[in-house]
Amino acid sequence: MINFLKKIKTFGFGNDPSSHWLWQRITAVLMILIFVWLLFVFQNLLNNFQENFYIWIKNPLNLILFIILIILVMHHSLLGILNIFEDYIHSIKIKRISSIFVKFISLILISISVFSVWHIAH
């Protein structure tokens, strides 16, 4: 159980490949659940989507779930890109620099996305 908790707390960024694998699966399952929820919700918003979306996003539950979806998609994508780096870049120095760069860009994109959605809602 303690080993499982250690894998969870690294968010997939640890040196243990099973942690990376576990977080890739966790984010995939959570994204599927939120995407299914969004499909049902967005069916009601199709008429006059822009105005209905503004009303919809002002609901705190919708706002939180939408922000969680953004974070999950970016984290899942980042883990996938890091996995590609691990498999196909053989130089440790280039791999490290590329990983840091992609993590930084991912953090910036998450921040901008969350700020934008938050700004729309408030």
Side-chain angles (χ1 to χ4, degrees):
M1 181 68 172
I2 293 173
N3 193 24
F4 177 75
L5 293 176
K6 286 180 183 177
K7 290 178 186 179
I8 292 293
K9 78 175 187 174
T10 63
F11 294 105
F13 295 126
N15 292 329
D16 183 15
S18 62
S19 170
H20 179 91
W21 181 88
L22 179 67
W23 271 102
Q24 192 82 19
R25 285 359 177 232
I26 289 171
T27 56
V29 169
L30 292 174
M31 283 189 311
I32 289 171
L33 294 174
I34 294 177
F35 275 129
V36 168
W37 169 74
L38 276 178
L39 283 174
F40 288 113
V41 169
F42 277 3
Q43 286 178 350
N44 299 330
L45 301 178
L46 288 179
N47 295 334
N48 202 2
F49 182 79
Q50 189 172 4
E51 286 182 30
N52 290 338
F53 181 77
Y54 287 130
I55 295 168
W56 176 82
I57 201 72
K58 289 185 183 293
N59 181 339
L61 176 65
N62 296 336
L63 175 65
I64 290 169
L65 286 174
F66 201 68
I67 289 173
I68 288 172
L69 179 65
I70 291 169
I71 293 169
L72 285 173
V73 167
M74 290 302 297
H75 186 65
H76 185 82
S77 302
L78 176 61
L79 290 175
I81 291 169
L82 292 177
N83 194 30
I84 291 171
F85 288 171
E86 191 66 34
D87 290 344
Y88 295 107
I89 298 177
H90 301 292
S91 169
I92 294 173
K93 184 178 180 180
I94 293 173
K95 190 184 308 184
R96 187 173 295 136
I97 291 170
S98 300
S99 296
I100 291 170
F101 177 72
V102 170
K103 287 177 185 177
F104 178 72
I105 294 297
S106 178
L107 181 65
I108 288 173
L109 289 175
I110 288 172
S111 301
I112 290 171
S113 300
V114 169
F115 176 77
S116 299
V117 171
W118 188 266
H119 182 70
I120 291 171
H122 289 77

